[in-house]
mmCIF file of all heavy atoms in Angstrom:
data_model
loop_
_atom_site.group_PDB
_atom_site.id
_atom_site.type_symbol
_atom_site.label_atom_id
_atom_site.label_comp_id
_atom_site.label_asym_id
_atom_site.label_seq_id
_atom_site.Cartn_x
_atom_site.Cartn_y
_atom_site.Cartn_z
ATOM 1 N N THR A 281 -23.161 147.468 247.544
ATOM 2 C CA THR A 281 -23.728 148.560 246.765
ATOM 3 C C THR A 281 -23.942 149.758 247.674
ATOM 4 O O THR A 281 -24.021 149.617 248.894
ATOM 5 C CB THR A 281 -25.043 148.125 246.079
ATOM 6 O OG1 THR A 281 -25.454 149.152 245.177
ATOM 7 C CG2 THR A 281 -26.157 147.881 247.073
ATOM 8 N N SER A 282 -24.025 150.923 247.059
ATOM 9 C CA SER A 282 -24.168 152.146 247.835
ATOM 10 C C SER A 282 -25.580 152.279 248.355
ATOM 11 O O SER A 282 -26.542 152.028 247.642
ATOM 12 C CB SER A 282 -23.859 153.353 246.964
ATOM 13 O OG SER A 282 -22.515 153.313 246.605
ATOM 14 N N TRP A 327 -20.497 144.714 238.747
ATOM 15 C CA TRP A 327 -21.851 145.202 239.036
ATOM 16 C C TRP A 327 -22.828 144.050 238.943
ATOM 17 O O TRP A 327 -22.517 143.014 238.364
ATOM 18 C CB TRP A 327 -22.248 146.303 238.040
ATOM 19 C CG TRP A 327 -21.205 147.356 237.921
ATOM 20 C CD1 TRP A 327 -20.389 147.559 236.845
ATOM 21 C CD2 TRP A 327 -20.834 148.335 238.904
ATOM 22 N NE1 TRP A 327 -19.535 148.613 237.105
ATOM 23 C CE2 TRP A 327 -19.784 149.104 238.352
ATOM 24 C CE3 TRP A 327 -21.289 148.638 240.190
ATOM 25 C CZ2 TRP A 327 -19.180 150.159 239.048
ATOM 26 C CZ3 TRP A 327 -20.692 149.681 240.881
ATOM 27 C CH2 TRP A 327 -19.657 150.428 240.310
ATOM 28 N N VAL A 328 -24.042 144.265 239.444
ATOM 29 C CA VAL A 328 -25.007 143.171 239.455
ATOM 30 C C VAL A 328 -25.374 142.746 238.027
ATOM 31 O O VAL A 328 -25.637 141.569 237.769
ATOM 32 C CB VAL A 328 -26.268 143.528 240.280
ATOM 33 C CG1 VAL A 328 -27.163 144.516 239.545
ATOM 34 C CG2 VAL A 328 -27.016 142.266 240.670
ATOM 35 N N THR A 329 -25.369 143.688 237.092
ATOM 36 C CA THR A 329 -25.715 143.326 235.716
ATOM 37 C C THR A 329 -24.726 142.286 235.185
ATOM 38 O O THR A 329 -25.106 141.359 234.472
ATOM 39 C CB THR A 329 -25.750 144.573 234.814
ATOM 40 O OG1 THR A 329 -26.612 145.536 235.433
ATOM 41 C CG2 THR A 329 -26.286 144.252 233.436
ATOM 42 N N TYR A 373 -27.048 144.345 225.192
ATOM 43 C CA TYR A 373 -27.628 144.859 226.445
ATOM 44 C C TYR A 373 -26.650 145.874 227.010
ATOM 45 O O TYR A 373 -25.513 145.530 227.334
ATOM 46 C CB TYR A 373 -27.801 143.685 227.408
ATOM 47 C CG TYR A 373 -28.618 143.938 228.669
ATOM 48 C CD1 TYR A 373 -29.650 144.873 228.702
ATOM 49 C CD2 TYR A 373 -28.382 143.187 229.819
ATOM 50 C CE1 TYR A 373 -30.405 145.054 229.862
ATOM 51 C CE2 TYR A 373 -29.141 143.360 230.975
ATOM 52 C CZ TYR A 373 -30.149 144.300 230.990
ATOM 53 O OH TYR A 373 -30.901 144.469 232.129
ATOM 54 N N PRO A 376 -28.045 153.401 229.143
ATOM 55 C CA PRO A 376 -28.360 154.656 228.461
ATOM 56 C C PRO A 376 -27.170 155.605 228.355
ATOM 57 O O PRO A 376 -27.011 156.300 227.353
ATOM 58 C CB PRO A 376 -29.463 155.264 229.325
ATOM 59 C CG PRO A 376 -30.127 154.097 229.958
ATOM 60 C CD PRO A 376 -29.038 153.086 230.188
ATOM 61 N N SER A 403 -31.705 147.865 227.537
ATOM 62 C CA SER A 403 -31.195 149.033 228.253
ATOM 63 C C SER A 403 -31.366 148.799 229.744
ATOM 64 O O SER A 403 -32.362 148.229 230.179
ATOM 65 C CB SER A 403 -31.987 150.265 227.813
ATOM 66 O OG SER A 403 -31.632 151.387 228.603
ATOM 67 N N VAL A 404 -30.414 149.250 230.533
ATOM 68 C CA VAL A 404 -30.484 149.046 231.984
ATOM 69 C C VAL A 404 -29.653 150.066 232.736
ATOM 70 O O VAL A 404 -28.663 150.584 232.223
ATOM 71 C CB VAL A 404 -29.964 147.641 232.381
ATOM 72 C CG1 VAL A 404 -28.504 147.435 232.013
ATOM 73 C CG2 VAL A 404 -30.152 147.384 233.889
ATOM 74 N N GLY A 405 -30.046 150.343 233.970
ATOM 75 C CA GLY A 405 -29.183 151.087 234.886
ATOM 76 C C GLY A 405 -29.692 152.450 235.254
ATOM 77 O O GLY A 405 -29.363 152.981 236.298
ATOM 78 N N GLU A 406 -30.483 153.053 234.400
ATOM 79 C CA GLU A 406 -31.004 154.400 234.654
ATOM 80 C C GLU A 406 -32.149 154.623 233.680
ATOM 81 O O GLU A 406 -32.299 153.876 232.712
ATOM 82 C CB GLU A 406 -29.902 155.445 234.439
ATOM 83 C CG GLU A 406 -29.147 155.156 233.189
ATOM 84 C CD GLU A 406 -28.026 156.124 232.864
ATOM 85 O OE1 GLU A 406 -28.185 157.323 233.098
ATOM 86 O OE2 GLU A 406 -27.033 155.654 232.305
ATOM 87 N N PRO A 407 -32.939 155.661 233.919
ATOM 88 C CA PRO A 407 -34.021 155.917 232.973
ATOM 89 C C PRO A 407 -33.424 156.238 231.604
ATOM 90 O O PRO A 407 -32.405 156.910 231.511
ATOM 91 C CB PRO A 407 -34.708 157.158 233.551
ATOM 92 C CG PRO A 407 -34.294 157.213 234.997
ATOM 93 C CD PRO A 407 -32.930 156.601 235.044
ATOM 94 N N ILE A 408 -34.026 155.712 230.555
ATOM 95 C CA ILE A 408 -33.565 156.057 229.211
ATOM 96 C C ILE A 408 -34.517 157.118 228.660
ATOM 97 O O ILE A 408 -35.731 156.906 228.618
ATOM 98 C CB ILE A 408 -33.445 154.815 228.293
ATOM 99 C CG1 ILE A 408 -32.995 155.235 226.890
ATOM 100 C CG2 ILE A 408 -34.690 153.957 228.249
ATOM 101 C CD1 ILE A 408 -32.509 154.082 226.005
ATOM 102 N N VAL A 428 -35.853 146.526 224.883
ATOM 103 C CA VAL A 428 -36.372 146.243 226.219
ATOM 104 C C VAL A 428 -35.662 147.138 227.222
ATOM 105 O O VAL A 428 -34.457 147.084 227.383
ATOM 106 C CB VAL A 428 -36.237 144.746 226.589
ATOM 107 C CG1 VAL A 428 -37.269 143.935 225.811
ATOM 108 C CG2 VAL A 428 -34.837 144.189 226.312
ATOM 109 N N ASP A 429 -36.461 148.012 227.852
ATOM 110 C CA ASP A 429 -35.933 148.896 228.899
ATOM 111 C C ASP A 429 -36.210 148.179 230.207
ATOM 112 O O ASP A 429 -37.355 148.057 230.631
ATOM 113 C CB ASP A 429 -36.656 150.237 228.818
ATOM 114 C CG ASP A 429 -36.286 151.159 229.976
ATOM 115 O OD1 ASP A 429 -35.344 150.847 230.729
ATOM 116 O OD2 ASP A 429 -36.958 152.202 230.118
ATOM 117 N N THR A 430 -35.154 147.679 230.846
ATOM 118 C CA THR A 430 -35.314 146.769 231.979
ATOM 119 C C THR A 430 -35.013 147.464 233.295
ATOM 120 O O THR A 430 -33.914 147.924 233.531
ATOM 121 C CB THR A 430 -34.355 145.572 231.828
ATOM 122 O OG1 THR A 430 -33.009 146.062 231.839
ATOM 123 C CG2 THR A 430 -34.590 144.820 230.529
ATOM 124 N N TRP A 431 -36.015 147.530 234.166
ATOM 125 C CA TRP A 431 -35.784 148.101 235.498
ATOM 126 C C TRP A 431 -35.534 146.997 236.505
ATOM 127 O O TRP A 431 -36.307 146.034 236.592
ATOM 128 C CB TRP A 431 -36.984 148.938 235.972
ATOM 129 C CG TRP A 431 -36.726 149.477 237.358
ATOM 130 C CD1 TRP A 431 -36.127 150.664 237.663
ATOM 131 C CD2 TRP A 431 -37.005 148.822 238.610
ATOM 132 N NE1 TRP A 431 -36.005 150.789 239.036
ATOM 133 C CE2 TRP A 431 -36.521 149.682 239.640
ATOM 134 C CE3 TRP A 431 -37.587 147.604 238.968
ATOM 135 C CZ2 TRP A 431 -36.629 149.357 241.000
ATOM 136 C CZ3 TRP A 431 -37.684 147.273 240.322
ATOM 137 C CH2 TRP A 431 -37.219 148.153 241.327
ATOM 138 N N TRP A 432 -34.488 147.147 237.258
ATOM 139 C CA TRP A 432 -34.212 146.252 238.391
ATOM 140 C C TRP A 432 -33.091 146.849 239.214
ATOM 141 O O TRP A 432 -32.640 147.965 238.930
ATOM 142 C CB TRP A 432 -33.906 144.828 237.925
ATOM 143 C CG TRP A 432 -32.752 144.653 236.988
ATOM 144 C CD1 TRP A 432 -32.647 145.122 235.704
ATOM 145 C CD2 TRP A 432 -31.532 143.939 237.236
ATOM 146 N NE1 TRP A 432 -31.451 144.751 235.153
ATOM 147 C CE2 TRP A 432 -30.742 144.019 236.064
ATOM 148 C CE3 TRP A 432 -31.038 143.228 238.324
ATOM 149 C CZ2 TRP A 432 -29.477 143.424 235.968
ATOM 150 C CZ3 TRP A 432 -29.792 142.623 238.214
ATOM 151 C CH2 TRP A 432 -29.025 142.724 237.049
ATOM 152 N N GLN A 433 -32.640 146.140 240.241
ATOM 153 C CA GLN A 433 -31.620 146.655 241.163
ATOM 154 C C GLN A 433 -30.725 145.516 241.642
ATOM 155 O O GLN A 433 -31.103 144.349 241.541
ATOM 156 C CB GLN A 433 -32.276 147.227 242.426
ATOM 157 C CG GLN A 433 -33.399 148.183 242.201
ATOM 158 C CD GLN A 433 -34.008 148.635 243.515
ATOM 159 O OE1 GLN A 433 -34.608 147.850 244.239
ATOM 160 N NE2 GLN A 433 -33.860 149.910 243.835
ATOM 161 N N THR A 434 -29.592 145.886 242.234
ATOM 162 C CA THR A 434 -28.731 144.895 242.876
ATOM 163 C C THR A 434 -29.583 144.039 243.814
ATOM 164 O O THR A 434 -29.429 142.821 243.887
ATOM 165 C CB THR A 434 -27.629 145.616 243.684
ATOM 166 O OG1 THR A 434 -26.948 146.513 242.808
ATOM 167 C CG2 THR A 434 -26.641 144.622 244.274
ATOM 168 N N GLU A 435 -30.485 144.691 244.521
ATOM 169 C CA GLU A 435 -31.305 144.013 245.517
ATOM 170 C C GLU A 435 -32.316 143.045 244.907
ATOM 171 O O GLU A 435 -32.659 142.039 245.521
ATOM 172 C CB GLU A 435 -32.091 145.043 246.346
ATOM 173 C CG GLU A 435 -31.239 145.925 247.244
ATOM 174 C CD GLU A 435 -30.672 147.164 246.531
ATOM 175 O OE1 GLU A 435 -30.630 147.189 245.287
ATOM 176 O OE2 GLU A 435 -30.269 148.101 247.244
ATOM 177 N N THR A 436 -32.820 143.376 243.718
ATOM 178 C CA THR A 436 -33.857 142.500 243.148
ATOM 179 C C THR A 436 -33.236 141.287 242.469
ATOM 180 O O THR A 436 -33.938 140.329 242.172
ATOM 181 C CB THR A 436 -34.770 143.234 242.137
ATOM 182 O OG1 THR A 436 -34.005 143.563 240.969
ATOM 183 C CG2 THR A 436 -35.386 144.490 242.731
ATOM 184 N N ILE A 441 -39.164 144.846 235.868
ATOM 185 C CA ILE A 441 -40.123 145.577 235.045
ATOM 186 C C ILE A 441 -39.500 145.757 233.675
ATOM 187 O O ILE A 441 -38.380 146.266 233.563
ATOM 188 C CB ILE A 441 -40.448 146.952 235.662
ATOM 189 C CG1 ILE A 441 -40.958 146.782 237.103
ATOM 190 C CG2 ILE A 441 -41.461 147.718 234.816
ATOM 191 C CD1 ILE A 441 -41.243 148.099 237.817
ATOM 192 N N GLY A 453 -38.919 155.165 226.428
ATOM 193 C CA GLY A 453 -38.686 155.817 227.718
ATOM 194 C C GLY A 453 -39.377 155.187 228.900
ATOM 195 O O GLY A 453 -39.143 155.580 230.030
ATOM 196 N N ALA A 455 -40.325 151.666 231.170
ATOM 197 C CA ALA A 455 -40.046 150.246 231.404
ATOM 198 C C ALA A 455 -41.355 149.449 231.401
ATOM 199 O O ALA A 455 -41.354 148.225 231.342
ATOM 200 C CB ALA A 455 -39.282 150.049 232.700
ATOM 201 N N ALA A 516 -38.316 150.576 246.830
ATOM 202 C CA ALA A 516 -37.155 150.453 245.948
ATOM 203 C C ALA A 516 -36.252 151.681 245.984
ATOM 204 O O ALA A 516 -35.105 151.621 245.555
ATOM 205 C CB ALA A 516 -37.638 150.208 244.516
ATOM 206 N N GLY A 517 -36.791 152.814 246.459
ATOM 207 C CA GLY A 517 -35.994 154.034 246.457
ATOM 208 C C GLY A 517 -36.119 154.828 245.177
ATOM 209 O O GLY A 517 -35.444 155.840 245.001
ATOM 210 N N ASP A 518 -37.002 154.401 244.265
ATOM 211 C CA ASP A 518 -37.197 155.106 243.001
ATOM 212 C C ASP A 518 -38.542 155.813 242.970
ATOM 213 O O ASP A 518 -39.541 155.268 243.456
ATOM 214 C CB ASP A 518 -37.178 154.109 241.828
ATOM 215 C CG ASP A 518 -35.771 153.735 241.416
ATOM 216 O OD1 ASP A 518 -35.116 154.555 240.780
ATOM 217 O OD2 ASP A 518 -35.323 152.622 241.759
ATOM 218 N N GLY A 519 -38.559 156.990 242.362
ATOM 219 C CA GLY A 519 -39.814 157.653 242.072
ATOM 220 C C GLY A 519 -40.355 157.093 240.759
ATOM 221 O O GLY A 519 -39.593 156.672 239.900
ATOM 222 N N TRP A 529 -43.335 154.482 234.459
ATOM 223 C CA TRP A 529 -42.187 155.291 234.050
ATOM 224 C C TRP A 529 -41.307 155.492 235.273
ATOM 225 O O TRP A 529 -41.780 155.996 236.289
ATOM 226 C CB TRP A 529 -42.652 156.661 233.536
ATOM 227 C CG TRP A 529 -43.438 156.584 232.276
ATOM 228 C CD1 TRP A 529 -44.731 156.166 232.143
ATOM 229 C CD2 TRP A 529 -42.980 156.932 230.961
ATOM 230 N NE1 TRP A 529 -45.113 156.237 230.820
ATOM 231 C CE2 TRP A 529 -44.049 156.706 230.081
ATOM 232 C CE3 TRP A 529 -41.760 157.412 230.458
ATOM 233 C CZ2 TRP A 529 -43.942 156.938 228.705
ATOM 234 C CZ3 TRP A 529 -41.656 157.656 229.096
ATOM 235 C CH2 TRP A 529 -42.742 157.410 228.237
ATOM 236 N N LEU A 530 -40.054 155.122 235.175
ATOM 237 C CA LEU A 530 -39.140 155.328 236.295
ATOM 238 C C LEU A 530 -38.547 156.723 236.209
ATOM 239 O O LEU A 530 -38.142 157.159 235.137
ATOM 240 C CB LEU A 530 -38.012 154.295 236.256
ATOM 241 C CG LEU A 530 -38.320 152.905 236.819
ATOM 242 C CD1 LEU A 530 -38.985 153.013 238.176
ATOM 243 C CD2 LEU A 530 -39.157 152.076 235.877
ATOM 244 N N LEU A 531 -38.491 157.391 237.370
ATOM 245 C CA LEU A 531 -38.078 158.798 237.349
ATOM 246 C C LEU A 531 -36.781 159.064 238.094
ATOM 247 O O LEU A 531 -36.413 160.205 238.314
ATOM 248 C CB LEU A 531 -39.188 159.652 237.964
ATOM 249 C CG LEU A 531 -40.550 159.535 237.271
ATOM 250 C CD1 LEU A 531 -41.591 160.337 238.015
ATOM 251 C CD2 LEU A 531 -40.454 159.992 235.823
ATOM 252 N N GLY A 532 -36.081 158.027 238.513
ATOM 253 C CA GLY A 532 -34.835 158.268 239.248
ATOM 254 C C GLY A 532 -35.027 158.131 240.743
ATOM 255 O O GLY A 532 -36.146 157.982 241.239
ATOM 256 N N ARG A 533 -33.933 158.171 241.474
ATOM 257 C CA ARG A 533 -33.948 157.907 242.909
ATOM 258 C C ARG A 533 -34.616 159.040 243.674
ATOM 259 O O ARG A 533 -34.509 160.203 243.307
ATOM 260 C CB ARG A 533 -32.516 157.753 243.426
ATOM 261 C CG ARG A 533 -31.702 156.701 242.731
ATOM 262 C CD ARG A 533 -32.088 155.307 243.062
ATOM 263 N NE ARG A 533 -32.086 155.010 244.477
ATOM 264 C CZ ARG A 533 -32.073 153.762 244.963
ATOM 265 N NH1 ARG A 533 -32.045 152.721 244.143
ATOM 266 N NH2 ARG A 533 -32.085 153.556 246.248
ATOM 267 N N VAL A 537 -29.264 158.350 246.976
ATOM 268 C CA VAL A 537 -28.432 157.574 246.063
ATOM 269 C C VAL A 537 -28.427 158.292 244.715
ATOM 270 O O VAL A 537 -29.464 158.719 244.236
ATOM 271 C CB VAL A 537 -28.991 156.140 245.911
ATOM 272 C CG1 VAL A 537 -28.226 155.373 244.843
ATOM 273 C CG2 VAL A 537 -28.915 155.411 247.247
ATOM 274 N N ASN A 539 -27.119 158.289 240.552
ATOM 275 C CA ASN A 539 -26.889 157.334 239.481
ATOM 276 C C ASN A 539 -26.031 158.023 238.434
ATOM 277 O O ASN A 539 -26.506 158.843 237.666
ATOM 278 C CB ASN A 539 -28.247 156.911 238.906
ATOM 279 C CG ASN A 539 -28.117 155.705 238.018
ATOM 280 O OD1 ASN A 539 -27.121 155.547 237.308
ATOM 281 N ND2 ASN A 539 -29.108 154.845 238.051
ATOM 282 N N GLY A 542 -24.960 155.131 235.154
ATOM 283 C CA GLY A 542 -25.520 153.823 235.487
ATOM 284 C C GLY A 542 -24.883 153.181 236.706
ATOM 285 O O GLY A 542 -25.193 152.054 237.051
ATOM 286 N N HIS A 543 -23.983 153.875 237.384
ATOM 287 C CA HIS A 543 -23.367 153.343 238.603
ATOM 288 C C HIS A 543 -23.973 154.021 239.815
ATOM 289 O O HIS A 543 -24.168 155.228 239.837
ATOM 290 C CB HIS A 543 -21.854 153.589 238.599
ATOM 291 C CG HIS A 543 -21.150 152.893 237.487
ATOM 292 N ND1 HIS A 543 -19.984 153.346 236.952
ATOM 293 C CD2 HIS A 543 -21.481 151.787 236.799
ATOM 294 C CE1 HIS A 543 -19.611 152.535 235.983
ATOM 295 N NE2 HIS A 543 -20.505 151.579 235.871
ATOM 296 N N ARG A 544 -24.216 153.212 240.828
ATOM 297 C CA ARG A 544 -24.828 153.749 242.030
ATOM 298 C C ARG A 544 -23.792 154.347 242.947
ATOM 299 O O ARG A 544 -22.824 153.707 243.294
ATOM 300 C CB ARG A 544 -25.503 152.604 242.765
ATOM 301 C CG ARG A 544 -26.952 152.548 242.485
ATOM 302 C CD ARG A 544 -27.474 151.268 243.004
ATOM 303 N NE ARG A 544 -27.774 151.385 244.421
ATOM 304 C CZ ARG A 544 -28.584 150.540 245.037
ATOM 305 N NH1 ARG A 544 -29.123 149.547 244.380
ATOM 306 N NH2 ARG A 544 -28.841 150.689 246.312
HETATM 307 C C1 WTA O 701 -31.849 152.613 238.426
HETATM 308 C C2 WTA O 701 -28.706 148.066 238.215
HETATM 309 C C3 WTA O 701 -34.784 153.552 235.282
HETATM 310 C C4 WTA O 701 -32.884 152.729 239.517
HETATM 311 C C5 WTA O 701 -29.444 146.922 237.527
HETATM 312 C C6 WTA O 701 -32.524 151.594 240.439
HETATM 313 C C7 WTA O 701 -33.238 152.257 236.374
HETATM 314 C C8 WTA O 701 -31.022 151.582 240.355
HETATM 315 C C9 WTA O 701 -33.361 151.247 235.397
HETATM 316 C C10 WTA O 701 -30.413 150.247 240.655
HETATM 317 C C11 WTA O 701 -34.264 151.481 234.307
HETATM 318 C C12 WTA O 701 -31.942 150.606 236.904
HETATM 319 N N1 WTA O 701 -34.951 152.647 234.295
HETATM 320 N N2 WTA O 701 -33.955 153.397 236.303
HETATM 321 N N3 WTA O 701 -34.417 150.611 233.318
HETATM 322 N N4 WTA O 701 -32.545 150.238 235.760
HETATM 323 N N5 WTA O 701 -32.336 151.838 237.277
HETATM 324 O O1 WTA O 701 -28.387 148.395 241.936
HETATM 325 O O2 WTA O 701 -32.737 153.977 240.166
HETATM 326 O O3 WTA O 701 -26.791 149.286 240.193
HETATM 327 O O4 WTA O 701 -32.976 151.777 241.752
HETATM 328 O O5 WTA O 701 -28.772 147.912 239.592
HETATM 329 O O6 WTA O 701 -30.737 151.966 239.003
HETATM 330 O O7 WTA O 701 -29.021 150.263 240.417
HETATM 331 P P1 WTA O 701 -28.160 148.957 240.586
#
Side-chain angles (χ1 to χ4, degrees):
T281 189
S282 294
W327 310 109
V328 74
T329 307
Y373 191 30
S403 173
V404 62
E406 45 180 322
I408 179 165
V428 286
D429 173 10
T430 62
W431 178 90
W432 58 294
Q433 310 178 294
T434 305
E435 293 85 342
T436 68
I441 304 177
D518 279 285
W529 294 75
L530 279 312
L531 302 176
R533 304 287 305 197
V537 174
N539 193 325
H543 297 153
R544 262 169 84 161

